[in-house]
Amino acid sequence: MALSESSLAPVLAKLEQLVPWTDADRSAFRSLPFMLRDMGAGDHLSREGEAVGTCAALLSGFAYLHRILPDGARQIVSVRMAGDLLNLQSGLFRTASHNVQMLTPATMAMISVADLAALAAERPVIQRALWLATLIDSAIFSQWITNVGRRDAHARIAHLLCEFAIRLRGIGLCDDLTYSLPMTQEQLADATGLTSVHVNRTLQRLRREGLISSDKRSVTIEDWARLRREAGFDAAYLHQSVTMG
Amino acid sequence: MALSESSLAPVLAKLEQLVPWTDADRSAFRSLPFMLRDMGAGDHLSREGEAVGTCAALLSGFAYLHRILPDGARQIVSVRMAGDLLNLQSGLFRTASHNVQMLTPATMAMISVADLAALAAERPVIQRALWLATLIDSAIFSQWITNVGRRDAHARIAHLLCEFAIRLRGIGLCDDLTYSLPMTQEQLADATGLTSVHVNRTLQRLRREGLISSDKRSVTIEDWARLRREAGFDAAYLHQSVTMG
DNA sequence: CGGTCGTTTGATTACGATCAAACGAAGTGG
DNA sequence: CCACTTCGTTTGATCGTAATCAAACGACCG
């Protein structure tokens, strides 16, 4: 079923950072049955209200979780990247409370909930790693609440850009202070509770102030210290060992 | 160390709903060592940035998690009630990214992280329940993001009141549609990203429209169907079996 | 009976939303 | 190869929700 032993590597790498694994844990994890699935930008993995029977591990590409309100407004509640798990909530509870959609073309490992649950039950270390990963996710959620609740547009965008820099660095996608950001300004708006027009103006201001520069789909942080300060950003909540210039 | 075998009952009751427990699990959980601790309204359990060595199970009373921004603004990111765990994140990662403070006088069971981790490692069912509880927490977080990000003040307050009704009903603190809400309007404001002045006016409007009534510290939902609709509230994300009139 | 805390009311301001339109780049088809 | 469409970014003008500032009021408490 698995195409290659190392396909799950990005997920394993992320989970291994959270708790010490034994070789037995590692090989048990690697033998988890899965099916590779490629998706295109914009494709839906699952929809709010759907009963979902399988989890997915994002191996490459980006996805986002969002919710559409009755009046049509959309809120993006999470951006997921390589190594992140998808549909855990919906898989384990059989109910999705948000939509999962691809930001870019992506490849993922589809894992049956039953298999994942069985593995977790047999291997306390693995279940613990999954639990800790969920705890980190909730720390990120809580930062986003703070972001949209109390920061002004300027700090809000700055904070998001800081978070992405650290998370991407953690998976080797941001070596210096440049990373590719596969989101349109409208998507940034939906992630920050702003409008795309205001995101545009805010990005212009961040550029004008020398905090960042950005072409179409990539961002460079020009002054990390200052961006960090204006965002009120403290990377501790991401619980990564890496640090930033 | 434990004063009474049944002290942890509220937490056990909540965790038991998430996955089937064996008697062995139950008794292992009950024999978890803990120390009862009483706190007063406004007391701090932990502060952002602190290294925290112990978890806590809230047995009665209310607590809230919040973060203070450099400019002094405050965002409440979570309200915790009887049966909820506190300081999981900070305990397991040794770093708190938010403050934990009491909303009311509260009593809690202080549990060493080591003991909890050991129990979780020995008892897959218990660790699974803890994991699922964390997943539900993150579902709540994600709803709050939607709340502050895309709902207007009216729907925002309405949504919060709906959520509280269901959560309180789940722990037997909201039998009909009345519950005591131990938050000042300023705290409601900090939870919804509004100002206390605007919360006041919004509550007045909700009352005027016949959606709720409220005296000093308690709320009655007068028209659940309409409140729910105006809030765009769907209780599914709370994953509770109970339903509402 | 002051003093503190929380709620309420009023007047004014501002940040970001909304509406509208032009522009540039990329992709499609004749 | 060039209209033509589509999508995303950019700019400008105006509007509105909620913030801010200020003060009075009521309840509880020592």
Side-chain angles (χ1 to χ4, degrees):
Chain A
M1 190 170 257
L3 274 189
S4 142
E5 282 258 319
S6 62
S7 288
L8 291 176
V11 190
L12 186 56
K14 188 162 272 191
L15 292 176
E16 274 184 321
Q17 295 171 2
L18 300 175
V19 59
W21 288 48
T22 65
D23 286 338
D25 291 321
R26 255 182 288 271
S27 68
F29 187 83
R30 283 207 202 88
S31 63
L32 193 58
F34 65 89
M35 266 180 51
L36 285 182
R37 175 169 176 191
D38 285 307
M39 302 192 79
D43 289 356
H44 278 268
L45 178 64
S46 60
R47 288 170 199 272
E48 187 173 353
E50 248 178 27
V52 178
T54 103
C55 296
L58 194 50
L59 302 177
S60 72
F62 292 81
Y64 66 109
L65 316 187
H66 70 278
R67 195 170 277 130
I68 311 255
L69 302 187
D71 68 352
R74 182 177 67 158
Q75 178 67 45
I76 294 178
V77 297
S78 181
V79 172
R80 321 286 296 169
M81 32 191 82
D84 286 336
L85 292 163
L86 293 174
N87 278 357
L88 263 188
Q89 218 167 265
S90 23
L92 291 163
F93 289 108
R94 304 258 156 215
T95 300
S97 69
H98 51 245
N99 305 287
V100 181
Q101 205 168 349
M102 300 303 118
L103 222 37
T104 64
T107 122
M108 52 188 73
M110 305 301 293
I111 303 170
S112 98
V113 175
D115 289 338
L116 187 67
L119 179 69
E122 282 163 25
R123 298 258 147 215
V125 165
I126 295 182
Q127 190 166 48
R128 178 156 216 255
L130 292 167
W131 180 25
L132 294 181
T134 301
L135 271 169
I136 292 180
D137 286 343
S138 77
I140 296 176
F141 280 131
S142 107
Q143 280 289 348
W144 280 41
I145 294 172
T146 309
N147 224 21
V148 291
R150 284 298 186 216
R151 281 191 256 264
D152 65 21
H154 193 248
R156 221 180 276 193
I157 300 284
H159 197 278
L160 196 73
L161 295 179
C162 287
E163 183 187 298
F164 283 158
I166 298 290
R167 288 175 64 194
L168 288 166
R169 168 162 286 209
I171 55 174
L173 294 180
C174 172
D175 292 327
D176 38 32
L177 287 156
T178 299
Y179 56 88
S180 83
L181 179 68
M183 295 175 77
T184 66
Q185 292 180 357
E186 188 169 0
Q187 288 162 339
L188 285 172
D190 286 338
T192 50
L194 301 167
T195 57
S196 61
V197 171
H198 204 61
V199 165
N200 182 285
R201 292 179 171 136
T202 304
L203 285 173
Q204 287 180 49
R205 187 177 149 206
L206 288 167
R207 276 188 229 112
R208 198 182 332 119
E209 294 171 337
L211 296 173
I212 65 163
S213 63
S214 63
D215 59 353
K216 35 201 100 251
R217 280 297 136 80
S218 85
V219 176
T220 300
I221 297 177
E222 298 290 350
D223 189 336
W224 173 256
R226 205 145 58 87
L227 187 69
R228 192 184 120 96
R229 180 159 40 79
E230 306 228 347
F233 179 81
D234 176 356
Y237 73 97
L238 293 170
H239 298 291
Q240 295 192 172
S241 34
V242 293
T243 48
M244 211 84 188
Chain B
M1 191 169 257
L3 275 188
S4 142
E5 282 258 320
S6 62
S7 288
L8 290 176
V11 190
L12 186 55
K14 188 161 269 188
L15 293 175
E16 274 184 322
Q17 295 172 0
L18 300 175
V19 60
W21 288 48
T22 65
D23 287 337
D25 292 321
R26 256 182 287 274
S27 69
F29 187 82
R30 285 206 202 87
S31 63
L32 193 57
F34 65 89
M35 266 180 52
L36 286 180
R37 175 169 176 190
D38 285 308
M39 302 192 79
D43 289 356
H44 279 268
L45 178 65
S46 59
R47 286 169 200 273
E48 186 174 353
E50 246 178 30
V52 178
T54 106
C55 295
L58 195 49
L59 303 177
S60 73
F62 292 81
Y64 65 108
L65 315 187
H66 69 278
R67 195 171 279 130
I68 312 254
L69 303 187
D71 68 351
R74 183 177 65 160
Q75 178 67 45
I76 294 178
V77 296
S78 181
V79 172
R80 320 289 294 172
M81 31 191 83
D84 286 337
L85 292 162
L86 294 174
N87 278 356
L88 263 188
Q89 217 166 267
S90 23
L92 290 163
F93 289 109
R94 305 257 156 215
T95 301
S97 70
H98 50 244
N99 306 287
V100 182
Q101 205 169 348
M102 299 304 117
L103 223 36
T104 65
T107 120
M108 53 188 72
M110 306 301 295
I111 303 169
S112 98
V113 175
D115 288 338
L116 187 67
L119 179 69
E122 281 163 25
R123 300 256 146 215
V125 166
I126 296 182
Q127 189 165 50
R128 179 157 214 254
L130 291 167
W131 180 25
L132 294 181
T134 301
L135 270 170
I136 292 180
D137 286 343
S138 77
I140 296 176
F141 280 131
S142 106
Q143 280 289 349
W144 281 41
I145 294 172
T146 309
N147 225 19
V148 293
R150 284 297 185 216
R151 282 193 254 263
D152 65 21
H154 194 249
R156 222 180 277 193
I157 300 284
H159 197 278
L160 196 71
L161 294 178
C162 287
E163 182 187 299
F164 284 157
I166 298 291
R167 289 174 63 194
L168 287 166
R169 166 163 286 208
I171 54 173
L173 295 179
C174 173
D175 293 327
D176 38 30
L177 287 157
T178 299
Y179 56 88
S180 83
L181 179 67
M183 295 176 77
T184 66
Q185 292 181 358
E186 189 169 0
Q187 288 162 339
L188 284 172
D190 287 338
T192 50
L194 301 167
T195 57
S196 61
V197 170
H198 203 62
V199 166
N200 182 284
R201 292 180 170 134
T202 304
L203 285 173
Q204 286 181 50
R205 188 178 148 204
L206 288 167
R207 275 189 231 113
R208 197 180 334 117
E209 293 171 337
L211 296 174
I212 65 164
S213 64
S214 64
D215 58 352
K216 34 202 98 251
R217 280 300 136 80
S218 84
V219 177
T220 300
I221 296 177
E222 299 289 350
D223 189 337
W224 173 255
R226 205 146 56 88
L227 188 68
R228 193 184 118 96
R229 181 159 39 80
E230 307 229 346
F233 179 81
D234 176 355
Y237 72 97
L238 294 170
H239 298 291
Q240 295 191 170
S241 32
V242 294
T243 49
M244 211 84 188

